[in-house]
Amino acid sequence: MSTYGTTITPVARSMSRTLTVGVEEEFLLLDHAEGRPALTAPAVLALLEGDPHVKAEAMRYQLETVTGVCTDLAQVAEELSRHRMLASRASEELGCHLVACGIAPRHVPGLSALTADARYQELAARHGSLVAGSCTCGCHVHVGVPSRELGVQVLTRLRPYLATLLALSANSPIAGGGDTGWASRRYRRWSRWPTAAPPRAWRSAADYDAAVCHLIRCGHAMDERSVYFHARLSPRYPTVELRVMDTCLSVEDALLMAAMARALVALAIADVTRDVPIKALSDRQIVAELNAAARHGLDALAVDPYTSQVMPHRDLLKILLPRLPEPEPIALLIHRLAIRGTGAARQRTMWSQAGTLPQFAHLVADATLR
């Protein structure tokens, strides 16, 4: 057995097959005429007549889709595609595009666009400027874990890979009517929230709960649901919830993130079982890696937690793949992503081709359904 986790064990392979996965995706609504945020989410939801897979978000120019609890990647892919198509068709009926962008390409309306929901209203009352200026779109992947105690250990072992997940998903380079120079401008804006931070290396679920309670008592969070760690124990489900990713441009990009999340959780559980050591990265180093990934995407540097080698994320992925249980579908998805480019790279190409904001919105809306 390798001390660097390079051997795929039966434990890891079996764990990967049994872990459930679910995906929540957030989207923007942009009008056909000007490519501006369209406050039509309530009308879209009315057209869908309460479909449980499409939900309101904080702002009326946003929608969220949610899969069920999935047991294999084929089911994830089918649900992601179906729910995007469902929401897109209803949006088009109302003269707007459903677009998978981490951030709006032009300035947003502010609190006047807030959804009429008691929870969002309370959040805005407590954190008005943050709500007004940082409503972005992320991809949240839930992976089932057997216990909260094990989930806390998984969070510790996910810390070194948060920046890699961000680099893979980066899909928000265009904001304020131009290229921001960031692969994930969403990450920079979302990080303004006081709880939008990497999980700490907690020793137990009790320590995790104490940290969450402290943030609530200090006024940094309204409740457990508004503690926005980049990876956390879900406050509602028996899952580890990975939240660091931008919403993904295409279905296949989102499928890659779901597959990566489940495989990393399976690897973490297997390593805990075998007591495989990894390098303990400081909070400061992880934040630095996240900022670099948000800026430079897969070209940013990262530390391999098994060997302490420093390399770009695209090279780290090559070393990581043989460690993952059932790496073949993930390797294929990464290969296809390398050919077409990340969401950020494709958005930049669309921006240079579009000429106008409405045409850019049209191009991104088309990519959203692929």
Side-chain angles (χ1 to χ4, degrees), residues 65-142:
T65 65
V66 296
T67 71
V69 179
C70 301
T71 56
D72 61 68
L73 294 182
Q75 182 185 0
V76 175
E78 189 277 330
E79 292 203 26
L80 290 173
S81 181
R82 175 158 47 88
H83 300 157
R84 284 187 180 211
M85 183 62 71
L86 183 70
S88 175
R89 286 174 176 169
S91 302
E92 292 293 333
E93 285 190 41
L94 295 167
C96 60
H97 299 295
L98 181 83
V99 299
C101 284
I103 196 168
R106 184 172 284 180
H107 295 300
V108 295
L111 290 179
S112 63
L114 193 67
T115 296
D117 174 89
R119 177 176 176 77
Y120 294 134
Q121 297 287 339
E122 177 64 20
L123 198 62
R126 291 169 176 253
H127 306 283
S129 61
L130 287 173
V131 174
S134 61
C135 281
T136 57
C137 295
C139 172
H140 305 157
V141 180
H142 290 259

Side-chain angles (χ1 to χ4, degrees), residues 1-350:
M1 179 180 69
S2 167
T3 58
Y4 298 125
T6 55
T7 301
I8 302 171
T9 68
V11 172
R13 185 174 286 109
S14 174
M15 185 63 65
S16 177
R17 291 170 180 166
T18 59
L19 294 179
T20 60
V21 62
V23 183
E24 300 166 350
E25 297 192 278
E26 297 166 350
F27 300 94
L28 297 171
L29 297 169
L30 302 181
D31 66 45
H32 287 171
E34 298 184 7
R36 293 178 179 273
L39 309 186
T40 51
V44 171
L45 294 171
L47 276 179
L48 295 175
E49 298 180 338
D51 188 293
H53 300 293
V54 186
K55 300 182 178 183
E57 254 299 323
M59 294 296 181
R60 285 178 287 143
Y61 55 80
Q62 293 178 296
L63 286 175
E64 179 186 58
T65 65
V66 296
T67 71
V69 179
C70 301
T71 56
D72 61 68
L73 294 182
Q75 182 185 0
V76 175
E78 189 277 330
E79 292 203 26
L80 290 173
S81 181
R82 175 158 47 88
H83 300 157
R84 284 187 180 211
M85 183 62 71
L86 183 70
S88 175
R89 286 174 176 169
S91 302
E92 292 293 333
E93 285 190 41
L94 295 167
C96 60
H97 299 295
L98 181 83
V99 299
C101 284
I103 196 168
R106 184 172 284 180
H107 295 300
V108 295
L111 290 179
S112 63
L114 193 67
T115 296
D117 174 89
R119 177 176 176 77
Y120 294 134
Q121 297 287 339
E122 177 64 20
L123 198 62
R126 291 169 176 253
H127 306 283
S129 61
L130 287 173
V131 174
S134 61
C135 281
T136 57
C137 295
C139 172
H140 305 157
V141 180
H142 290 259
V143 182
V145 289
S147 71
R148 297 180 84 251
E149 291 294 340
L150 182 56
V152 169
Q153 295 181 70
V154 167
L155 291 178
T156 296
R157 289 177 177 268
L158 289 175
R159 281 161 50 93
Y161 293 112
L162 293 174
T164 304
L165 293 171
L166 177 61
L168 272 174
S169 68
N171 182 40
S172 49
I174 310 300
D179 191 331
T180 65
W182 292 80
S184 175
R185 189 64 183 178
R186 165 201 160 266
Y187 173 79
R188 294 294 296 160
R189 187 169 292 182
W190 182 250
S191 296
R192 297 172 184 172
W193 284 89
T195 63
R200 297 288 181 89
W202 293 289
R203 292 173 298 178
S204 66
D207 287 346
Y208 176 92
D209 292 339
V212 169
C213 289
H214 174 73
L215 290 168
I216 296 171
R217 283 197 307 269
C218 291
H220 294 316
M222 186 170 71
D223 53 24
E224 191 177 357
R225 287 174 59 188
S226 56
V227 174
Y228 300 128
F229 296 142
H230 299 328
R232 67 181 184 179
L233 300 182
S234 171
R236 292 183 287 179
Y237 310 113
T239 64
V240 166
E241 181 185 2
L242 293 92
R243 303 172 49 84
V244 74
M245 298 86 73
D246 279 9
T247 201
C248 295
L249 182 57
S250 68
V251 170
E252 194 165 275
D253 293 351
L255 181 63
L256 170 58
M257 301 319 302
M260 281 291 298
R262 185 171 72 163
L264 286 171
V265 171
L267 176 63
I269 293 174
D271 280 355
V272 168
T273 302
R274 297 182 296 158
D275 198 25
V276 175
I278 61 172
K279 179 179 175 62
L281 301 181
S282 69
D283 295 338
R284 179 177 295 182
Q285 187 168 7
I286 290 173
V287 169
E289 286 190 7
L290 283 163
N291 285 329
R295 183 71 185 232
H296 303 294
L298 291 171
D299 292 326
L301 295 179
V303 176
D304 177 11
Y306 291 99
T307 67
S308 299
Q309 290 179 279
V310 179
M311 64 194 76
H313 288 284
R314 62 179 72 255
D315 293 333
L316 178 60
L317 285 167
K318 296 174 185 176
I319 294 175
L320 173 62
L321 277 171
R323 298 172 182 151
L324 298 177
E326 300 187 299
E328 292 80 10
I330 297 175
L332 177 60
L333 289 167
I334 289 176
H335 174 70
R336 290 166 65 96
L337 181 73
I339 292 173
R340 68 180 178 269
T342 63
R346 281 176 281 159
Q347 274 206 45
R348 285 184 166 123
T349 299
M350 294 176 204

